[in-house]
Amino acid sequence: MPPTANQLHDLLALLLFSVVANAAEESICFGSQDNGSLENGWQLPAIGKNYSANSDIGVIIGRNYVHSMVYKVVIYAYAKLETQALSKGYVYGESGYKEGGKFRPHKTHQNGLSVDFVVPIVDSEGISVKLPTSILNKFGYDIEFVGAGEYKGLKIDYDAMASHLWALKALAENNGVKIRRVIFDNEPHRSPHQNPIYNVSFVNPAYT
């Protein structure tokens, strides 16, 4: 049976990703996340089948670079979620500059091993939607959820968030790198205000 149009599209995308990834030099990170730099940083795609960046402006000015190993983990995790978390959409935030270094207003994100992710959300009907981000709310960073994770009729999709973290852990282990820590500024269900960002930091691949 000949492949469908969608299968051909997926195959072409995979081949294109492989060519681009193989053509780029692997990254090298130096120092720590709060005092470091990055060589040969890889820029995360602005958009994929089930994910997108929180800010087109951030992509244009290059605020979404990571270490090559982190790039692979993030992208492969999203690919895994296409089958593990059907109909769910994901958004990532800021990660760092191509050469690392100071990354205001963040105190970290300096060596390509740290990525911010925007919490997945659902609307009043339980449908996965993208959190409305703009310069007015600092591309989502200024948004605060209240109660059981609610904001203007939207709710945090904790199950989708857990699936994402599970996928990141699984793909990190498959690619020989480890997650160092996960930070969600406010513990879910216990604080009156919950941050829309969870940060995932990875261990320097040179030490794994």
Side-chain angles (χ1 to χ4, degrees), residues 159-198:
D159 288 339
M161 180 177 169
S163 295
H164 180 228
L165 290 171
W166 171 82
L168 287 173
K169 181 178 184 296
L171 271 297
E173 292 174 350
N174 289 348
N175 284 275
V177 66
K178 299 177 182 177
I179 291 178
R180 179 168 175 260
R181 64 184 179 187
V182 176
I183 298 177
F184 190 37
D185 279 0
N186 297 306
E187 192 171 352
H189 304 301
R190 294 190 181 182
S191 172
H193 299 286
Q194 295 173 29
N195 194 285
I197 305 295
Y198 53 105

Side-chain angles (χ1 to χ4, degrees), residues 134-150:
S134 71
I135 194 171
L136 298 178
N137 56 33
K138 294 185 179 178
F139 302 106
Y141 281 82
D142 267 2
I143 290 175
E144 288 187 340
F145 289 83
V146 297
E150 300 176 352

